[in-house]
């Protein structure tokens, strides 16, 4: 068990960047595909599918093909990993002349081992290149230029964002692979989302790369540019509130070690990688238990599975805005480079993200993930004993945790996703929402002007500007292996009970626990907040010396569920949000809650559909799905940029240890220094 090392000083620091492209050949089954491997994928596939005048082939997704779990665990549990790791393969989703191909490529044989055409509904994730190409197409489209001139706008001041359009009951034949372009006007601002140009419908067919529909329906008042600035260099006094300058630093260096993609810190060891769709992926997270002198399994694999963001405006300019962000745009593809000292504190270690562009060429997002130790003044544990005569005892341990962070900017919103590991054994998943509201122009500047009975679908946040009501549902896939793969899900209800007449007490009631082990998927679906219960994943084959089943408890945050009708088309596609918690048996193909092909999907390949099989989950290898939900009624404080709104949940040991695992943790040393020698980056 590694000790915690943390000292606070106010001085300069340095950052560390670990570039995935500089690593030696992968040593771990979950290492992300390297630049060299991506180039090899491109070379092999281009030989099999040569691009020519009559053959268009694009890479929509390239990632690690999920290795067989039994082989991974066999390799992982072998002494010093001496057993041969599972075959290393790439999984490719490509568009090939209007069809979607699924290709599996083996690196040892350098050959394609599987190739099939997808015949179901939905389309693969969009690439950055095709979204940019659609924009270039529209700015040269004469009907659009005529409309711009009619509105008296300068085309050089117009920028676009792209939007998927969903599905509203169309047949598969009618569901073409298209996107809708939404224009915005700069002209005095860089906060583009606050100046929408409404009244236009612009649809681009991505397979044919042409404008398939254009309508200029109406002229709408445009919000003004003034008051939209957010860059500190462009803002004028008075400033505030004033925050004093400070940098937290560990003079002995970080208390964690990164070996390739393996992270070791305190009593934790886990693997971290990058996926172009999921963002950060945490694998094989294990805890060192000093009582048994070995690492114990907790989380086989955890990552973001989907984000559903439906807006609550049924009008023509808005009804289609019901994004499935990870499946439509890629939460890894939309991730951004993190800024040292602001996105991540001093002492953070940064890692790059490598992915395949549309033509298969490797692309890189520098510093896309960071790992850092967090000291925020929290208390790990404490106790003051003042009742013993002539003796007063105070024992306090400040809390230090390890955070792995990524920020994905999907259009107007910036999502901060944190995986926080605590020495106590807890894992906290945090989601922060910030960025810019998506707004609609209106003729009003005051609530008194709104016509009686009119629904403006949001809040007036500035002159002629309504922040539209919407939801955020962020779904995580968590393959928990609590001390092994044979786990169960226990719903421990807290029940109010009348005091028995046989007990001589003035108390009338108390609560007691009524545990029930879910035997099937249907028994494990949970809508949080309906009743008081503890939700625990246990290993019934592992018990403490006092006979309790070892487990991990889910501590949920604030709860929010969908308010759309079950028969509404966006909710059919996002039925995975119908419950806050789902438990399914492990299935290597069940990874994306909204389906492998989310764009224009019809809701027939989602977590909700898989779970209808009502499979056995007692004493099985099970997966937990948890959705963090937010109902967002915008307010003026969200304008022109939004202070971070945070949510999340915690997985906490429950009878996993024989006693408090941080009882013997020594207090960290806290010092200060005024003079120091700056270190170069």
């Amino acid at each position: 068990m590694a000790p915690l090392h943390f000292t606070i000083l106010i001085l300069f620091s340095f950052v560390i960047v670990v570039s995935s492209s500089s690593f030696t050949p992968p040593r771990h089954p979950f290492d992300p595909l390297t630049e060299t491997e991506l180039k090899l994928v491109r070379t092999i596939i281009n030989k099999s599918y040569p691009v020519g005048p009559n053959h268009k082939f694009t890479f929509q997704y390239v990632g690690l093909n999920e290795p067989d779990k039994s082989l991974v665990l066999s390799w992982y549990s072998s002494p010093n990993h001496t057993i041969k790791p599972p075959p290393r393969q790439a999984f490719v989703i490509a568009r090939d002349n209007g069809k979607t191909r699924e290709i599996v490529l083996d690196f040892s044989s350098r050959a394609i081992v599987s190739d099939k055409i997808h015949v179901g509904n939905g389309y693969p994730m969009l690439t950055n290149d095709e979204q940019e190409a659609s924009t270039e197409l529209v700015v040269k489209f004469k009907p659009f230029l005529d409309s711009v001139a009619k509105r008296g706008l300068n085309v050089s001041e117009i920028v676009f964002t792209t939007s998927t359009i969903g599905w509203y009951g169309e047949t598969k034949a009618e569901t073409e692979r298209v996107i809708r372009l939404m224009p915005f006007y700069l002209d005095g601002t860089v906060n583009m989302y606050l100046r929408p140009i409404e009244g236009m419908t612009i649809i681009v067919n991505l397979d044919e790369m042409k404008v398939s529909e254009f309508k200029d329906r109406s002229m709408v008042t445009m919000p003004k540019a003034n008051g939209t600035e957010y860059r500190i260099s462009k803002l004028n006094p008075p400033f505030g509130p004033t925050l004093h300058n400070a940098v937290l630093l560990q003079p002995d260096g970080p208390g964690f070690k990164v070996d390739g993609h393996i992270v070791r810190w305190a009593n934790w060891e886990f693997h971290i990688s990058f996926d172009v769709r999921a963002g950060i992926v945490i694998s094989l997270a294990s805890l060192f238990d000093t009582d048994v002198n070995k690492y114990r399994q907790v989380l086989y694999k955890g990552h973001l599975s989907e984000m559903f963001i439906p807006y609550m405006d049924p009008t023509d300019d808005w009804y289609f805005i019901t994004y499935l962000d990870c499946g439509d745009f890629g939460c890894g593809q939309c991730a951004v480079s993190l800024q040292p000292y602001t996105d991540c504190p001093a002492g953070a270690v940064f890692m790059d993200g490598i992915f395949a562009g549309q033509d298969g060429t490797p692309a890189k997002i520098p510093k896309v993930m960071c790992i850092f130790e967090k000291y925020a003044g929290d208390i790990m544990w404490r106790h003051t004993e003042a009742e013993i005569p002539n003796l007063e005892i105070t024992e306090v341990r400040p809390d230090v945790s390890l955070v792995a962070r990524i920020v994905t900017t999907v259009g107007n919103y910036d999502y901060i996703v944190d995986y926080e590991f605590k020495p106590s054994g807890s894992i906290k998943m945090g989601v922060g929402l910030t960025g810019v509201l998506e707004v609609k122009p209106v003729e009003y500047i005051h609530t008194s002007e709104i016509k009686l009975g009119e629904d403006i679908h949001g809040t007036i946040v500035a002159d002629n500007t309504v922040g539209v009501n919407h939801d955020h549902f962020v779904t995580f896939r968590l393959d928990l292996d609590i001390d092994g793969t044979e786990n169960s899900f226990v719903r421990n209800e807290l029940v109010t009970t009348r005091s028995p007449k046989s007990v001589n007490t003035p108390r009338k009631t108390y609560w007691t626990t009524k545990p029930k082990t879910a035997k099937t998927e249907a028994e494990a679906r949970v809508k949080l907040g309906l009743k008081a219960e503890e939700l625990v994943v246990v290993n019934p084959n592992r018990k403490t010396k006092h006979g309790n089943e070892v487990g991990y408890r889910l501590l949920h945050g604030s709860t929010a569920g969908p308010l759309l009708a079950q028969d509404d088309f966006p909710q059919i596609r996002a039925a995975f949000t119908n419950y806050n918690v789902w438990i399914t048996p492990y299935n290597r193909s069940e990874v994306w809650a909204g389906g492998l092909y989310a764009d224009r999907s019809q809701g027939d390949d989602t977590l909700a559909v898989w779970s209808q099989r009502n499979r056995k989950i007692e004493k099985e290898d099970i997966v937990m799905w948890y959705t963090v939900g937010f109902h967002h009624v915008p307010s003026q404080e969200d304008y022109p940029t939004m202070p971070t709104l945070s949510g999340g949940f915690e997985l906490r040991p429950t009878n996993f240890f024989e006693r408090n695992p941080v009882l013997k943790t020594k207090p960290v040393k806290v010092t200060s220094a005024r003079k120091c020698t700056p270190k170069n980056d």
Side-chain angles (χ1 to χ4, degrees):
M1 178 174 176
L4 293 171
H5 297 295
F6 209 92
T7 305
I8 301 177
L9 295 96
I10 301 175
L11 36 64
F12 293 96
S13 182
F14 60 96
V15 298
I16 304 169
V17 179
V18 179
S19 175
S20 56
S21 61
S22 65
F23 293 146
T24 56
R27 296 166 292 171
H28 194 287
F30 285 136
D31 279 357
L33 298 183
T34 65
E35 189 172 342
T36 299
E37 288 175 322
L38 289 174
K39 289 179 179 178
L40 182 59
V41 169
R42 182 176 186 267
T43 298
I44 293 172
I45 288 182
N46 282 347
K47 286 182 179 180
S48 301
Y49 308 97
V51 177
N54 300 316
H55 190 199
K56 183 181 179 183
F57 188 100
T58 58
F59 294 79
Q60 306 297 134
Y61 171 87
V62 182
L64 183 68
N65 192 43
E66 178 79 9
D68 183 270
K69 185 172 181 178
S70 63
L71 297 179
V72 173
L73 291 177
S74 177
W75 168 86
Y76 182 69
S77 61
S78 64
N80 299 316
H81 306 321
T82 51
I83 292 180
K84 184 179 179 181
R88 188 163 173 83
Q89 298 178 333
F91 178 58
V92 179
I93 298 176
R95 290 293 287 173
D96 182 9
N97 281 351
K99 297 179 179 180
T100 299
R101 282 191 182 275
E102 299 174 2
I103 301 169
V104 177
L105 184 148
D106 186 84
F107 286 107
S108 60
S109 63
R110 299 196 172 198
I112 293 172
V113 296
S114 174
D115 182 359
K116 65 179 182 179
I117 300 293
H118 169 63
V119 295
N121 295 309
Y123 295 106
M125 194 178 81
L126 301 172
T127 68
N128 289 332
D129 290 345
E130 61 191 352
Q131 293 176 75
E132 292 171 3
S134 65
T135 296
E136 294 171 2
L137 191 69
V138 171
V139 295
K140 299 175 183 177
F141 187 61
K142 187 176 185 303
F144 169 74
L145 295 175
D146 291 343
S147 289
V148 170
K150 182 181 69 175
R151 292 169 179 246
L153 303 178
N154 184 347
V155 70
S156 65
E157 295 288 334
I158 296 177
V159 292
F160 296 87
T161 189
T162 56
S163 174
T164 49
I165 66 171
W167 169 75
Y168 294 89
E170 305 94 333
T171 66
K172 182 180 178 182
E174 296 169 327
T175 313
E176 297 179 329
R177 187 167 181 261
V178 298
I179 57 173
R180 184 162 172 167
L181 270 71
M182 301 161 63
F184 298 85
Y185 204 54
L186 298 178
D187 192 29
T189 184
V190 295
N191 205 340
M192 56 172 276
Y193 289 99
L194 298 185
R195 301 203 74 199
I197 303 172
E198 293 208 344
M200 286 188 192
T201 300
I202 311 169
I203 306 292
V204 171
N205 184 303
L206 293 174
D207 286 331
E208 299 177 8
M209 198 47 71
K210 70 175 185 179
V211 178
S212 59
E213 181 180 347
F214 179 83
K215 294 178 183 176
D216 189 353
R217 304 184 310 278
S218 59
M219 302 273 285
V220 182
T221 303
M222 191 183 305
K224 298 178 176 59
N226 56 304
T228 61
E229 184 60 71
Y230 57 88
R231 294 170 293 178
I232 191 66
S233 61
K234 304 293 184 181
L235 295 173
N236 299 317
F239 296 104
T242 300
L243 304 176
H244 284 231
N245 295 329
V247 175
L248 300 181
L249 170 72
Q250 297 164 274
D252 299 326
F256 61 95
K257 294 182 179 180
V258 180
D259 180 13
H261 288 268
I262 297 291
V263 180
R264 296 181 178 90
W265 173 79
N267 47 351
W268 280 103
E269 177 183 284
F270 61 88
H271 183 276
I272 183 172
S273 62
F274 173 82
D275 178 81
V276 71
R277 181 164 175 171
I280 284 181
V281 179
I282 301 293
S283 305
L284 295 171
S286 299
L287 265 171
F288 190 81
D289 187 341
T290 55
D291 286 341
V292 295
N293 196 35
K294 69 175 185 179
Y295 280 95
R296 299 170 63 189
Q297 294 172 261
V298 177
L299 178 67
Y300 179 74
K301 197 172 187 181
H303 58 82
L304 201 58
S305 179
E306 192 54 271
M307 295 199 297
F308 176 47
I309 300 91
Y311 279 77
M312 300 300 140
D313 187 331
T315 60
D316 196 71
D317 279 304
W318 285 85
Y319 77 91
F320 59 91
I321 305 181
T322 56
Y323 305 126
L324 294 170
D325 278 349
C326 291
D328 288 347
F329 303 104
C331 289
Q333 181 174 244
C334 294
V336 295
S337 295
L338 300 173
Q339 304 299 309
Y341 308 121
T342 49
D343 282 321
C344 310
V349 168
F350 292 80
M351 304 181 85
D352 300 337
I354 307 293
F355 67 97
Q358 182 173 289
D359 66 354
T361 302
K364 180 169 75 172
I365 306 174
K367 300 178 183 175
V368 74
M369 302 180 289
C370 72
I371 306 163
F372 60 89
E373 282 175 294
K374 175 182 175 182
Y375 175 76
D378 295 329
I379 296 172
M380 181 186 291
W381 67 264
R382 80 173 321 279
H383 180 60
T384 294
E385 182 57 74
E387 304 302 321
I388 302 175
N390 303 318
L391 181 64
E392 183 169 324
I393 302 170
T394 297
E395 285 285 319
V396 186
R397 300 293 183 271
D399 201 19
V400 181
S401 57
L402 187 75
V403 177
R405 172 173 293 170
I406 195 167
V407 175
T408 180
T409 302
V410 190
N412 55 304
Y413 265 101
D414 295 59
Y415 294 90
I416 305 158
V417 181
D418 285 352
Y419 298 83
E420 182 176 356
F421 297 83
K422 290 182 169 292
S424 62
S426 285
I427 308 175
K428 297 179 73 174
M429 281 72 170
V431 177
L433 317 178
T434 180
V436 180
L437 291 174
E438 197 146 347
V439 304
K440 64 179 294 182
V442 292
E443 60 188 32
Y444 311 128
I445 62 173
H446 194 276
T447 57
S448 62
E449 300 174 89
I450 301 172
K451 299 178 181 67
L452 183 64
E454 181 183 6
D455 191 344
I456 62 170
H457 308 293
T459 305
I460 298 176
V461 295
D463 289 356
N464 309 116
T465 305
V466 165
V468 178
N469 299 330
H470 58 282
D471 294 324
H472 301 265
F473 296 107
V474 183
T475 301
F476 289 83
R477 178 183 185 268
L478 305 162
D479 182 1
L480 294 166
D481 286 353
I482 307 302
D483 244 0
T485 57
E486 198 170 290
N487 290 178
S488 296
F489 181 62
V490 177
R491 302 181 67 166
N492 195 10
E493 189 176 357
L494 310 185
V495 182
T496 300
T497 304
R498 304 292 298 186
S499 300
K501 294 181 180 179
S502 59
V503 178
N504 185 18
T505 176
R507 281 281 298 277
K508 294 183 178 181
T509 59
Y510 64 99
W511 63 258
T512 189
T513 58
K514 186 179 178 182
K516 180 181 179 181
T517 299
K519 298 184 181 300
T520 64
E521 292 176 271
E523 295 178 4
R525 300 171 193 150
V526 181
K527 291 185 178 180
L528 294 169
L530 298 184
K531 58 184 177 180
E533 60 181 340
E534 287 196 328
L535 307 175
V536 188
V537 174
V538 302
N539 187 328
N541 301 317
R542 301 278 193 272
K543 296 185 179 181
T544 66
K545 67 180 182 181
H546 300 297
N548 296 307
E549 294 175 336
V550 304
Y552 260 71
R553 184 187 334 171
L554 171 65
L555 298 179
H556 63 81
S558 58
T559 59
L563 299 177
L564 297 179
Q566 296 292 297
D567 64 347
D568 198 356
F569 294 106
Q571 193 58 39
I572 292 172
R573 300 174 67 224
F576 57 89
T577 64
N578 288 345
Y579 294 90
N580 304 99
V581 180
W582 307 70
I583 302 290
T584 62
Y586 171 79
N587 186 317
R588 188 168 65 171
S589 68
E590 295 176 3
V591 177
W592 310 109
L596 180 59
Y597 298 101
D599 179 26
R600 307 218 68 188
S601 61
Q602 298 185 14
D604 54 0
D605 180 32
T606 69
L607 169 59
V609 172
W610 312 330
S611 184
Q612 287 176 5
R613 286 174 279 179
N614 202 22
R615 295 162 290 185
K616 180 178 179 289
I617 58 169
E618 185 180 16
K619 294 184 179 180
E620 297 285 348
D621 187 358
I622 57 177
V623 175
M624 174 185 284
W625 307 76
Y626 182 90
T627 296
V628 180
F630 304 84
H631 296 305
H632 190 176
V633 179
S635 66
Q636 288 184 234
E637 289 82 0
D638 297 334
Y639 184 93
T641 57
M642 176 182 161
T644 301
L645 174 64
S646 298
F649 61 101
E650 179 178 348
L651 298 171
R652 184 181 177 92
T654 299
N655 301 315
F656 188 83
F657 296 102
E658 294 292 347
R659 59 177 179 171
N660 178 358
V662 290
L663 178 70
K664 295 183 179 180
T665 299
K666 295 181 179 180
V668 296
K669 183 181 179 183
V670 181
T671 63
S672 63
R674 295 185 178 180
K675 296 181 180 180
C676 63
T677 302
K679 294 184 178 181
N680 295 326
D681 288 351

